[in-house]
Amino acid sequence: MTDAIKIDVWSDIACPWCYIGKRNLERGLAQTAADDDAPRVEVVLHSYELSPDTPVDFEGSETDFLAGHKGMPAEQVQQMLDRVTGIAAQAGLNYRFDLLRHTNTVKAHELLHAAKAQGRQAEMAERLMSAYFEEGRHVGRIDDLVELAAEAGLDADDVRDALDTQRYLSDVRQDQEQARAYGITGVPFFVIDGTYGVSGAQPPEAFAQVARQVWAERRTAAAEPSA
C-alpha cells in the first residue's frame, strides 16, 4: 500500500490566514475523497509565533494591537480586518474581530503538542482557532486552555500538568527552528511530502491539485520495477 502523503503545516493560532488556510486545505482534500484512487493524507501541525512578545493579557482591541504593531492608521486596519472577515466567510468561518482577545500564543502551541501526544491535534487546533476568532475566548491562559482542551476531548489533568511544567515547550521551539531552517518567514506554510512548499491560504482547488499530483507521483514510483 502506498504510504500516506504527509502535509506539515506551520501556523499560529492568532493568524487569521492560518484558519482560512486550514479550512481551505480540508475542503481541498475533501474534493479528492471521491476520486477512484483518492490520496491518503496525514496532516501534522507545527508551531510558529507571529508576535512572541505579545503579553498574555493585551489591553485593547485587535485594531489597537495591529495599529501599534504595524504602525498602520486605525481606519486602514479596520478595512483590512473587514476584508479578512469577508474572505473567512467564503471559507465558512464567522470571524468576530470585535470580540477577539489578543494574547500570547506560546501556551496554545504547547497545548497543540500535548494534543498531538493524545492523538487529538486536529480537534484541538479547530477548537482553539474557533474559540479565538469566532467566540472571543481567551487562548493564552492555562485555565482557559485546560477548559478548551476538555471540550476537545483531551484529559484535562494531563493538559494542566503539561502546561504547568512546560512539558512540550521544547517541541514548540524545535518547530520554530525547523521553520527557520526552511526559510519560512510567514504563515500559513505547507510542506507537502517534504518536497513541495506552499505559502499562504491557497484556495481549496490548489490543495486538491497538489495532493492529486503528489499521489500520482507516488503511485508511479511504486509501480516502477526496482533496480
Side-chain angles (χ1 to χ4, degrees):
M1 180 181 293
T2 304
D3 292 338
I5 298 167
K6 186 179 180 184
I7 302 181
D8 293 289
V9 185
W10 272 262
S11 65
D12 192 358
I13 296 302
C15 165
W17 294 106
C18 291
Y19 197 11
I20 294 168
K22 175 181 178 295
R23 186 63 84 244
N24 285 352
L25 172 62
E26 293 165 350
R27 294 169 73 185
L29 295 178
Q31 290 178 14
T32 70
D35 293 359
D36 291 337
D37 184 21
R40 294 192 304 111
V41 176
E42 175 192 9
V43 179
V44 179
L45 301 179
H46 299 276
S47 302
Y48 191 100
E49 291 180 89
L50 286 172
S51 302
D53 57 344
T54 303
V56 171
D57 290 301
F58 176 78
E59 297 295 334
S61 67
E62 180 71 352
T63 300
D64 295 332
F65 175 82
L66 290 175
H69 188 69
K70 295 183 177 295
M72 298 166 56
E75 182 178 346
Q76 186 178 351
V77 170
Q78 189 57 53
Q79 291 173 352
M80 181 179 69
L81 294 179
D82 290 344
R83 174 174 171 267
V84 174
T85 299
I87 295 172
Q90 295 173 15
L93 304 172
N94 180 32
Y95 279 10
R96 291 293 305 272
F97 286 110
D98 57 320
L99 301 178
L100 189 147
R101 303 173 73 178
H102 205 85
T103 186
N104 188 288
T105 60
V106 68
K107 284 295 179 186
H109 285 296
E110 292 179 43
L111 174 53
L112 284 175
H113 281 281
K116 181 181 179 182
Q118 294 190 28
R120 300 192 67 83
Q121 189 187 51
E123 294 86 350
M124 193 69 254
E126 180 64 30
R127 189 69 200 93
L128 282 168
M129 288 181 163
S130 178
Y132 185 71
F133 283 108
E134 299 183 311
E135 302 168 30
R137 299 278 291 273
H138 203 302
V139 301
R141 299 182 301 222
I142 290 179
D143 286 347
D144 299 271
L145 290 170
V146 169
E147 185 176 339
L148 289 168
E151 292 174 13
L154 276 71
D155 181 277
D157 291 337
D158 183 72
V159 166
R160 183 177 294 279
D161 180 71
L163 297 181
D164 281 339
T165 62
Q166 299 183 327
R167 188 192 308 166
Y168 295 99
L169 181 59
S170 62
D171 296 280
V172 174
R173 300 307 182 214
Q174 185 175 346
D175 279 352
Q176 294 168 332
E177 285 297 326
Q178 184 62 63
R180 281 188 281 272
Y182 277 144
I184 297 171
T185 57
V187 287
F189 194 91
F190 306 82
V191 177
I192 317 294
D193 236 19
T195 302
Y196 300 99
V198 178
S199 179
Q202 301 296 323
E205 294 75 19
F207 289 117
Q209 180 181 359
V210 71
R212 287 173 173 138
Q213 176 184 334
V214 173
W215 190 246
E217 291 171 357
R218 284 282 200 87
R219 286 300 208 189
T220 299
E224 292 176 351
S226 57

